[in-house]
Amino acid sequence: MSEQSTPRGTGDGAPEPEPIRWFGTTWVDRKADYRVRRVAVSLGALVAVVAGALLLRFAVSGVQLSDAGALVDALLIGAVALCSAMAAIRSWKIFTEGRRSLTGWMAEDKSLGAVWLIGFVGALAAYFFRSLVEAPGEGVARAAYDQAVAVHQRRRAARGGNDNGSGRPGRKKRRG
């Protein structure tokens, strides 16, 4: 599920695609099961976005009911909006370019953990919008898989189709 790993290999050395959460390896051939999963994931993400926004609305309403003041209310709403925007931008970049492409503040997992936690609605919204285009993370996984397949095919072609591992077809090893 991590786009940082290379595709796994089979017994004959051919690479296998990395499974993507909720999609498995259906993203490779994009058959009917893939489309059904895309619709289900999109709807599930949309429901999660609405539920998360409702939860945050209740939290902000609780602070507003405490009569802490208009400044506190504005700061809280601004903080939630900023955290959601940051989480959405980071999630979108992970889905489109992979985790390795994160630099600067986006690469901080531990020190900005509270920001990612508060901005979960933004991350869910990015997941929803990305799932409308493709399985989130599919582009990164497809690029890694295609690259691994190309490397495998070049190696097979360089061996001339001989899979005995000697590298020289038709020659026997000498005993000495």
Side-chain angles (χ1 to χ4, degrees):
M1 297 196 209
S2 169
E3 60 270 351
Q4 293 182 0
S5 63
T6 58
R8 300 171 303 196
T10 60
D12 66 346
E16 289 182 5
E18 282 289 322
I20 296 175
R21 182 174 292 168
W22 312 115
F23 293 91
T25 57
T26 60
W27 59 269
V28 176
D29 54 11
R30 291 186 173 191
K31 292 186 180 174
D33 187 32
Y34 171 81
R35 289 182 184 93
V36 170
R37 288 180 187 213
R38 280 251 323 267
V39 169
V41 164
S42 294
L43 289 175
L46 184 60
V47 167
V49 167
V50 170
L54 193 59
L55 178 72
L56 285 176
R57 176 67 183 129
F58 287 143
V60 169
S61 294
V63 172
Q64 287 174 342
L65 287 174
S66 70
D67 289 331
L71 179 64
V72 172
D73 296 342
L75 286 174
L76 179 61
I77 292 170
V80 169
L82 182 65
C83 291
S84 293
M86 289 173 67
I89 292 168
R90 180 179 189 259
S91 295
W92 188 266
K93 187 162 179 127
I94 289 172
F95 296 144
T96 57
E97 299 174 21
R99 188 170 293 278
R100 289 182 180 177
S101 69
L102 296 180
T103 58
W105 61 268
M106 286 189 190
E108 297 293 326
D109 280 335
K110 292 183 180 180
S111 62
L112 291 177
V115 172
W116 309 143
L117 184 64
I118 294 169
F120 74 98
V121 173
L124 287 172
Y127 194 89
F128 167 71
F129 287 117
R130 192 64 193 168
S131 68
L132 295 175
V133 177
E134 67 180 8
E138 178 184 344
V140 175
R142 187 171 300 282
Y145 178 64
D146 289 345
Q147 182 181 13
V149 168
V151 167
H152 176 70
Q153 288 174 348
R154 279 195 307 266
R155 286 182 182 161
R156 282 189 65 107
R159 284 188 293 206
N162 185 11
D163 289 331
N164 68 1
S166 67
R168 297 182 183 181
R171 293 190 124 185
K172 295 182 181 179
K173 293 183 181 180
R174 284 198 244 172
R175 293 186 187 187

